[in-house]
Amino acid sequence: MKRFWTERLRHPFKKSGHKRRPIWLLLPVLLLVVLSSLPVFYIIMRASEIGLEAAIGLIFRERVYELLLNTVKLAVTVTLFSVLIGVTTAWFVEKTRLPGKKIWNVIVTLPFAVPAFVSSYSWISIYSGFEGFSGAVLVLTLSNYPLVHLPVAAALRGMNPALEETSRSLGYSRTETFFRVTLPHLRPAVLGGAILIALHMLAEFGSLAFLNYDTFTTAIFDQYNVAFNGASAAMLTFVLLVLCLIFLGIEMLIRGKAKYASVGKGAPREAQLVNLGWWTIPSLMGFSVLAILAVGVPLGTITYWLITGASATFDLAELSSSLYSTLTFGAGGAVLTILFAFPLVILAIRHRGFFSTVADRLPYFIHSLPGLVIGLALVSFAVRYAFPFYQTIPLLLIGYAVLFLPLAQSSIRAAMEQVPPQLEEVAGSLGKKPLTIFFTVTLPLIAPGVGAGIALVFLQIMKELTATLLLRPTGIDTLAIKIWEHTSNAEFAASAPYAALLILISGLPVYLLTMRSFTHKKEG
Amino acid sequence: MKTNHHRSKFLALGSSVLLMGMLAACGNDDQKDEDASAPKDNDKEPTTLTIYNGQHKDATLALIDAFTEETGIEVESREGSSNELAHQIVEEGDKSPADIIYTEETTPLIMLAEKGMLSEIDEATLEPIAEEYRDADGQWSGILARSRVVAFNPDMITEEELPTSVLDFAKEEWKGKFAFVPTSGAFQMQLSALIKTEGEEVAKEWLEGLKENGKTYKKNKMALDAVEKGEISAALINNYYWDREAIEKGPENMNSELYFFGTNDLGDMVTVAGAGILKSSENQDEAQQFLEYAISKEGQQILTDISAQYPLNAEAKASQLKPFSELTPPNGTLDLGEYSNGEAALKLLEEVGLL
């Protein structure tokens, strides 16, 4: 304590304490702000090529209204269903004595390993009635709810059991406790997942093309596919950005200013788990149905194609080279994204303020843009200002970071919200440098969140298609590209080996991700 | 204390993931360096052509392999959708790594030519291609042709019941019985042709009728699949989607058949896939050689055999397709003049709300 005060006296400019934003945080954040602004500049540039009148004509037409309705309907419905499913599965897996939870946790996270465009064409190939709104809601909910399940499960794990126990001891029932104590505590995790899903829905393309459901993003792709002045697409993108701002505004309103950290994790002991009793069988049935719909159907279809398909060939060289580039891009991109996400999250949580909020929200804003727009923006700027990097792996990885930063942010943020700043302050008072504090105090505490972030970004990059097509070095194929090449010719059987391999390797990070929580518990 | 133990375990896991990534990244760089240096040491000709390819991938790759074998010039192919690739080239401008662009339809080529981004192809190279299938200024050339067709499912509808003109599909009686792909390049060419021959008003009325009565798909192949499965009676597509499947499965195993109007109707329109050389290319000579090969009898035979499209060099023969000479495309629709850049069609699609 004494040392703390002498430090303060020696460096009077530090008086504002932790509120001052250190330069080592600001620099990377500024770089990010510039990178993330590129797509917005690009859209403004393209949109300004036509006059105001033409622009208004392009925005205020019936088709745009139709698209708006379609997009909002899809985003809201999928997000609600995903939250419902994700919170439920997370609660059962973390808080009850559900038989085989270890395996269930892996299984319910597994849909995340199946690219939505793969599952959409497997549903369509079974029955074409899955086209349109209801099919889109079904397929997209099933492939996106893990975005809620994962952070909520992590939050439940990190939650001090004493909170719920205190509530019970004060006379609240289990249900009341869930709604009054548990759920509010889960708010950052639920919101983090929900906003990601809503923004995903704005930018989703591949599966919606198969499901024949039009949104802004599919319309933007159509525009690029047929038109050459980019202006019409830019105007649609504009509307998309406005929509995204509204979503982000709603999220911020709900998030509020509440803090969720507690000083000390409480005694490191097992939380009381709920005995399901005769609810065990229905719960297991529910999990099974979910698993069949989300994992069984796409895997079953792929297996069917592998066995029966005439166009299925195993080109081992192609398979292994596209596997190699998929893994390289995935790992490199995930690491880069996480490195970018740290300073953003620290700034947003520990140095709240206008700039921090804007910097923190900007990647989310960009997240609602179709990969095509981000890809074209990076192409345009790299060609002009960084040509040696054009069509090289570093630029592609930067593209991934811009695209998927929010996934890393929300995972790290959810974990960090639960880390009390007092711990870092104590370390600071003991004379540790900020970076040392980060590595010795903060990082170990948020390690689960970081792990989740890496896995999420890794998974998404492996599934990414449009930006990869634009930014990759010529001649390098990823698994997703091979799948796209074959499915766009409707050679489903030929795509099957690549799809199977993609799902298989995606299963690995999913498994690691879920396994960790249980080793923790067993020995804890 | 125990929790710390787990954390360090997880940290170890995390850092090994990091390390794996970095190693993988380095490994890839090494590989790239090798690739880049190898030709310099071994070959006299270090040129590698880059082709942005929006056309049928397997056919193009087969053509490239044969070309490399013949000339020793390596060719890298970058796959993508034709229009996205053209957009990319516009963004890249003078610095485009592409030497050649090869597209599904001629519209992107015409756009690039209008922007002055294509260079002239040698007269001698173009020789085997009839004049109506190439640019008057020699900036691009058609490579392959295909016909618009109606694929229909005979279990659901007989050939006699099909209309005598593609324009009839806009009529009430066809409601719910056919599918079309408004975002496909060939459909837009068809629409542009209608605007040119019958005027904007007729075209708009037709388009509104199609929107009202027909089902839309994003891909020709998906529309064909719907006909094959008996979900819809008929679909407006290009011949090769059906022919490729028929060659793979055997025509007797197809549930659907092709219908040609046979009366120089718009429904039998012929559209062309083509290629051009980028002005910004530093490998003009090699690029010319590549196009020469693609147009030669040998190259054309490879392309048509794999992709089931019609060769434009009359010396090559398409074996399993309806003979090119028996096609009856509508008159005056090969050169669409002022409508060839597709903008009028695009405007109509937007007005009608299909885009």
Side-chain angles (χ1 to χ4, degrees), chain B residues 138-285:
Chain B
Q139 303 219 26
W140 52 265
S141 171
I143 303 286
L144 295 165
R146 45 283 172 90
S147 177
R148 294 290 287 166
V149 290
V150 177
F152 71 101
N153 189 320
D155 295 340
M156 303 176 75
I157 194 166
T158 63
E159 189 160 347
E160 287 71 39
E161 286 170 290
L162 286 165
T164 51
S165 165
V166 74
L167 297 185
D168 292 343
F169 280 113
K171 290 181 183 161
E172 180 87 46
E173 63 204 80
W174 283 95
K175 196 168 178 67
K177 292 184 184 158
F178 74 99
F180 68 115
V181 188
T183 48
S184 88
F187 179 81
Q188 282 157 48
M189 297 284 276
Q190 212 171 10
L191 185 59
S192 297
L194 186 59
I195 298 173
K196 189 198 168 197
T197 53
E198 303 290 328
E200 206 150 303
E201 225 145 90
V202 175
K204 188 173 177 185
E205 222 168 276
W206 181 61
L207 202 57
E208 277 168 345
L210 288 193
K211 189 193 177 197
E212 181 64 31
N213 300 328
K215 183 162 190 218
T216 61
Y217 282 94
K218 293 248 183 262
K219 299 263 177 200
N220 281 291
K221 186 68 191 355
M222 287 155 90
L224 173 59
D225 281 352
V227 177
E228 273 284 301
K229 286 188 207 156
E231 285 159 12
I232 199 138
S233 309
L236 314 181
I237 57 168
N238 295 337
N239 72 291
Y240 54 88
Y241 291 100
W242 190 90
D243 285 313
R244 254 179 232 158
E245 206 161 309
I247 291 169
E248 192 177 321
K249 284 191 198 168
E252 65 282 1
N253 295 323
M254 296 290 286
N255 298 328
S256 61
E257 291 174 19
L258 285 191
Y259 172 73
F260 292 85
F261 296 94
T263 52
N264 301 98
D265 186 74
L266 181 69
D268 291 346
M269 187 171 165
V270 165
T271 66
V272 166
I277 298 170
L278 275 296
K279 220 176 225 168
S280 54
S281 161
E282 285 164 10
N283 308 310
Q284 295 287 334
D285 290 346

Side-chain angles (χ1 to χ4, degrees), chain B residues 6-28:
Chain B
H6 303 305
R7 272 176 201 136
S8 58
K9 220 161 132 190
F10 180 67
L11 273 180
L13 179 78
S15 47
S16 54
V17 170
L18 284 182
L19 201 66
M20 211 172 72
M22 285 180 218
L23 283 177
C26 295
N28 203 46

Side-chain angles (χ1 to χ4, degrees), chain A residues 42 45-46 58 61 63 66-67 124-128 131 205 208-214 218-219 221-230 232 265 268 310-311 318 324 327-329 331-332 335 372 376 379-380 383-385 387 390-393 443-445 447-448 450-452 454 458 466 468-477 482 484-486 488-492 512 515-516 519-520 523-524, chain B residues 1-7 9-11 13-14 17-29 31-32 50-52 56-58 61 76-98 107-109 111-112 115 182-185 188 211 215-219 221-222 225-226 229 231 241 244-245 248-249 341-343 346 349-355:
Chain A
Y42 176 76
M45 213 171 76
R46 283 277 166 274
L58 280 172
R61 55 193 184 106
R63 173 72 171 160
E66 248 175 60
L67 294 173
I124 286 288
S125 75
I126 295 173
Y127 174 54
S128 64
E131 278 180 10
F205 171 68
L208 293 176
F210 280 110
L211 294 163
N212 230 346
Y213 185 76
D214 279 339
T218 63
F221 269 78
D222 286 348
Q223 283 286 354
Y224 275 111
N225 232 338
V226 295
F228 285 109
N229 59 19
S232 204
K265 282 277 164 197
S311 58
E318 289 259 359
Y324 175 75
L327 288 175
T328 321
F329 294 172
V335 170
L372 180 63
L376 280 174
V379 166
S380 166
V383 164
R384 282 185 184 80
Y385 306 113
F387 192 65
Y390 184 55
Q391 291 184 357
T392 62
I393 293 173
L443 193 58
L445 286 171
V450 175
I454 289 186
F458 187 63
T466 21
T468 314
L469 274 174
L470 283 171
L471 298 172
R472 73 193 157 129
T474 299
I476 293 189
D477 286 336
K482 299 302 287 185
W484 164 79
E485 273 174 1
H486 290 302
S488 63
N489 288 333
E491 303 159 349
F492 293 136
L512 285 177
M515 178 186 71
R516 199 191 64 248
T519 51
H520 185 111
E523 298 167 40
Chain B
M1 224 33 231
K2 267 184 185 170
T3 31
N4 270 340
H5 174 65
H6 303 305
R7 272 176 201 136
K9 220 161 132 190
F10 180 67
L11 273 180
L13 179 78
V17 170
L18 284 182
L19 201 66
M20 211 172 72
M22 285 180 218
L23 283 177
C26 295
N28 203 46
D29 282 350
Q31 197 191 37
K32 226 176 109 192
T50 301
I51 174 168
Y52 278 22
H56 193 262
K57 184 185 177 185
D58 292 340
L61 288 184
E76 269 191 339
S77 165
R78 188 177 180 91
E79 312 292 322
S81 88
S82 299
N83 281 34
E84 278 169 34
L85 291 172
H87 276 291
Q88 191 162 359
I89 287 179
V90 172
E91 293 296 348
E92 290 164 352
D94 290 345
K95 292 176 177 169
S96 177
T107 331
L109 297 171
M111 186 265 299
L112 290 173
K115 288 184 187 279
T183 48
S184 88
Q188 282 157 48
K211 189 193 177 197
K215 183 162 190 218
T216 61
Y217 282 94
K218 293 248 183 262
K219 299 263 177 200
K221 186 68 191 355
M222 287 155 90
D225 281 352
K229 286 188 207 156
E231 285 159 12
Y241 291 100
R244 254 179 232 158
E245 206 161 309
E248 192 177 321
K249 284 191 198 168
N341 61 14
E343 281 190 8
L346 196 69
L349 282 165
E350 277 182 352
E351 263 176 51
V352 172
L354 281 164
L355 206 64

Side-chain angles (χ1 to χ4, degrees), chain A residues 145-182:
Chain A
Y145 77 86
L147 271 176
V148 174
H149 170 88
L150 282 173
V152 170
L156 282 171
R157 262 195 315 274
M159 202 172 148
N160 190 340
L163 287 174
E164 284 168 314
E165 283 159 18
T166 313
S167 160
R168 293 299 305 277
S169 74
L170 290 172
Y172 282 126
S173 74
R174 213 184 275 290
T175 324
E176 278 171 317
T177 301
F178 179 78
F179 283 104
R180 284 167 179 259
V181 179
T182 319

Side-chain angles (χ1 to χ4, degrees), chain A residues 122-146:
Chain A
S122 52
W123 281 96
I124 286 288
S125 75
I126 295 173
Y127 174 54
S128 64
F130 287 113
E131 278 180 10
F133 178 69
S134 45
V137 169
L138 175 84
V139 170
L140 290 173
T141 302
L142 288 175
S143 66
N144 278 291
Y145 77 86

